[in-house]
Amino acid sequence: METSAVVQVRRTTFASFVAVVITGTLAVTLSNLLLFSREDSFVWALHRATGGWINANLTTFVPLTLIIIGGMVMAWGRQSLADLGLSAGWALRLVLLLLAGWAAMQLVAVAAALASGMEIALHPAWTEYGAGTVLGLFIAMVLGTAPFEDGLFRGYVLPQLYFLLGRRISGETARMLAALMLCAVIFALWHLPTILLNRGEIAPGAVAGALAYMLLGGVMLGLLYLRTGRLEIVIALHALVNAPTMLVASPLPGSALAGAIGVAAIIAGPVLAGERRSAGLVRFVPR
């Protein structure tokens, strides 16, 4: 008989949960307002001075990760790495997942190029932006943006929402899906200040489209976590979607290839996580 994998999580209070979400939102909004959206800020000056190797996302999100995840969630909220879905050996698994996912994307890109009659050529991003910018973005996603967003939303917000909804939704699966959707909505709305501050033209249709994309991304990443219980798998996919780092030109966009790998990972989630089950979601249990 197949059973769901159990993820033990330290339960937090509603007040602590709200404080973390609000503080994280304010911190990101201020970072965008004062740093990321301003070309004269030191994060972009450092970006230009290093040829893109030290990406602005890296200098923005690494401090946020240390302050919000390390300080508020872990030190003040007493959440451990295990509570956030990172067990022993997670860093090595993350590296291997990134390598495997990136290699799979390149193989599919080559096959698509050959099938469409294209010549195998270096992706134009390498010559247009330079190796520093291309690889710097990838490094920033792996070490900055993805760990922060996935640690906060998938590792912390999602299971805590599941616990908080316990009094309102009795069914376990229904409560998990409700937590998943609510987490995705918060994730999308949480990006609204970033969308507004970093777009030259703020057309309602463009904002709605960006929010819809973030909502879909939140659902996909949350579902992947619920299928695997391993946050490093989510971080790897998130980084590859944001920075595909394609080696060869292809008729298929890199983010679409990463998304396809994400769908496959959701389907094969338990196997990918080393679990002997093929269906169902993990169960959050208070530690």
Side-chain angles (χ1 to χ4, degrees), residues 10-34:
R10 182 184 295 274
R11 187 169 184 171
T12 191
T13 63
F14 177 73
S16 296
F17 173 80
V18 172
V20 168
V21 173
I22 291 178
T23 304
T25 302
L26 290 176
V28 169
T29 301
L30 288 175
S31 296
N32 272 285
L33 182 63
L34 300 177

Side-chain angles (χ1 to χ4, degrees), residues 206-221:
V207 173
L211 287 176
Y213 178 80
M214 293 300 174
L215 178 64
L216 178 61
V219 171
M220 187 173 183
L221 293 170

Side-chain angles (χ1 to χ4, degrees), residues 57-91:
N57 285 280
L58 186 69
T59 46
T60 298
F61 281 98
V62 167
L64 287 174
T65 301
L66 294 175
I67 295 170
I68 304 300
I69 304 297
M72 288 200 71
V73 174
M74 298 182 68
W76 179 63
R78 301 176 62 193
Q79 300 284 314
S80 66
L81 287 177
D83 291 319
L84 300 178
L86 295 172
S87 58
W90 68 269

Side-chain angles (χ1 to χ4, degrees), residues 45-277:
L46 187 60
H47 178 104
R48 290 188 292 270
T50 60
W53 283 101
I54 301 180
N55 187 277
N57 285 280
L58 186 69
T59 46
T60 298
F61 281 98
V62 167
L64 287 174
T65 301
L66 294 175
I67 295 170
I68 304 300
I69 304 297
M72 288 200 71
V73 174
M74 298 182 68
W76 179 63
R78 301 176 62 193
Q79 300 284 314
S80 66
L81 287 177
D83 291 319
L84 300 178
L86 295 172
S87 58
W90 68 269
L92 176 59
R93 289 193 298 271
L94 174 60
V95 172
L96 295 176
L97 286 163
L98 286 167
L99 289 174
W102 180 83
M105 290 166 57
Q106 308 314 307
L107 290 174
V108 175
V110 170
L114 291 174
S116 64
M118 290 177 58
E119 293 185 2
I120 301 302
L122 186 68
H123 195 283
W126 295 90
T127 54
E128 183 177 352
Y129 302 109
T133 297
V134 174
L135 294 177
L137 178 61
F138 179 75
I139 294 169
M141 292 301 111
V142 174
L143 300 180
T145 305
F148 175 73
E149 293 187 351
D150 294 317
L152 180 60
F153 286 97
R154 267 60 70 177
Y156 178 75
V157 171
L158 180 55
Q160 297 304 330
L161 280 175
Y162 172 78
F163 293 140
L164 291 171
L165 291 172
R167 295 182 178 180
R168 296 181 178 274
I169 304 175
S170 57
E172 186 171 313
T173 301
R175 192 197 325 170
M176 189 68 82
L177 293 177
L180 170 64
M181 293 307 301
L182 185 55
C183 180
V185 170
I186 296 173
F187 179 69
L189 293 176
W190 182 81
H191 279 85
L192 184 58
T194 302
I195 295 170
L196 295 176
L197 287 171
N198 293 293
R199 285 180 177 270
E201 296 181 3
I202 308 176
V207 173
L211 287 176
Y213 178 80
M214 293 300 174
L215 178 64
L216 178 61
V219 171
M220 187 173 183
L221 293 170
L223 187 57
L224 180 60
Y225 185 51
L226 293 181
R227 289 282 286 155
T228 63
R230 293 188 181 276
L231 193 66
E232 67 269 17
I233 298 177
V234 182
I235 293 173
L237 175 64
H238 194 166
L240 289 172
V241 169
N242 283 6
T245 319
M246 300 306 296
L247 191 59
V248 299
S250 170
L252 299 176
S255 293
L257 291 174
I261 289 178
V263 172
I266 291 172
I267 295 173
V271 177
L272 194 61
E275 300 286 344
R276 292 186 176 181
R277 55 188 180 87

